[in-house]
Amino acid sequence: MSIRHWPSGERPREKLLQHGGASLSDAELLAVLLGSGVPGKDAIALGRELLTEAGGLAALLGRVDGPAPSRGLGPAKRARIVAALELARRSLAEQLQARPSLGSPRDSGDYLSACLRHLPYEVFGCLYLDNRHRVLAFEELFRGTVDGASVHPREVVRACLRHNACAVIFAHNHPSGVAEPSAADRAITRELREALQLVGVRVLDHLVIGHGTPVSMAERGLL
């Protein structure tokens, strides 16, 4: 039976409007974005299949938002999901930039997680701040494989000077989902902090993004 023939209280779109997004499963939320299913599968069944094949929501979003389309998603359906992801990121970015200042480096965690958590490859990015810890910009600086990204201190210094930053928060993701800082993470953070000290830029934190809450290296005493 097609979803449009279901009782109104069971249809994903109606449930969303009546009870909010939290009342829907991942597959139902995907069904709303997909708009329709494919021959032999309604939108919810298609959503479940995509989640199962990808290995979860984060993996599916990384596949959809990456350069290669996910199997089972045509251009129109893929575009809807990519647009929803980008709207979420922009909303978080607006909230971040509207703050008079960051009271804690962890205030940026939601935005940085939205930018990096779902990616299937490792990315190193930098959040640039002024002397009152107001957000100037966020920029992806280096991209690597799941084995790690090559981070070049000279390029980081150059980027900070270009943005006229007085302080920075680094962030990178672990595609494995395990957010524990590695020995290499600690080493490059020390190297970057020493390089930026020479130009008067403070390193406030380095967030490691995985599943769950980002790990703050500042809170771990690793800066």
Side-chain angles (χ1 to χ4, degrees), residues 9 54 61 67 73 79 91 137 139 146 170 194:
L61 295 180
L73 287 178
S91 173
E139 185 175 31
V146 293
F170 299 129
E194 291 168 2

Side-chain angles (χ1 to χ4, degrees), residues 9-215:
E10 296 180 14
R11 297 176 205 154
R13 188 178 302 165
E14 283 75 2
K15 284 175 63 178
L16 177 69
L17 295 174
Q18 291 174 13
H19 305 293
S23 66
L24 274 65
S25 67
D26 291 347
E28 288 173 322
L29 287 169
L30 277 174
V32 174
L33 283 174
L34 294 172
S36 63
V38 295
K41 294 187 185 72
D42 61 41
I44 295 178
L46 176 60
R48 289 197 191 103
E49 181 178 284
L50 291 169
L51 287 167
T52 300
E53 288 181 354
L57 183 59
L60 175 62
L61 295 180
R63 182 185 297 177
V64 172
D65 202 22
S70 179
R71 189 169 71 87
L73 287 178
K77 289 180 169 60
R78 184 173 178 236
R80 291 190 194 108
I81 297 176
V82 172
L85 283 171
E86 185 58 28
L87 283 171
R89 293 190 194 108
R90 293 185 186 190
S91 173
L92 288 168
E94 281 187 2
Q95 294 173 42
L96 196 62
Q97 292 179 326
R99 292 175 181 265
S101 65
L102 295 183
S104 163
R106 295 298 295 271
D107 290 343
S108 60
D110 287 344
Y111 171 66
L112 294 171
S113 292
C115 290
L116 303 178
R117 174 177 289 150
H118 64 284
L119 298 175
Y121 45 81
E122 190 163 325
V123 165
F124 181 94
C126 186
L127 190 68
Y128 305 99
L129 309 173
D130 67 12
N131 60 355
R132 294 176 57 186
H133 296 176
R134 293 173 300 191
V135 175
L136 298 171
F138 173 74
E139 185 175 31
E140 176 186 312
L141 290 178
F142 306 105
R143 180 179 295 192
T145 66
V146 293
D147 298 317
S150 297
V151 178
H152 306 288
R154 181 176 61 182
E155 297 302 320
V156 176
V157 171
R158 183 179 299 167
C160 289
L161 294 176
R162 185 173 69 251
H163 287 280
N164 198 28
C166 293
V168 293
I169 296 172
F170 299 129
H172 79 281
N173 63 312
H174 282 180
S176 67
V178 179
E180 192 65 26
S182 66
D185 296 337
R186 296 193 292 272
I188 192 61
T189 303
R190 288 193 298 270
E191 189 175 347
L192 290 172
R193 184 189 61 199
E194 291 168 2
L196 289 172
Q197 281 177 341
L198 298 176
V199 293
V201 177
R202 288 166 290 136
V203 177
L204 301 184
D205 205 348
H206 186 163
L207 298 180
V208 183
I209 311 295
H211 298 323
T213 304
V215 171

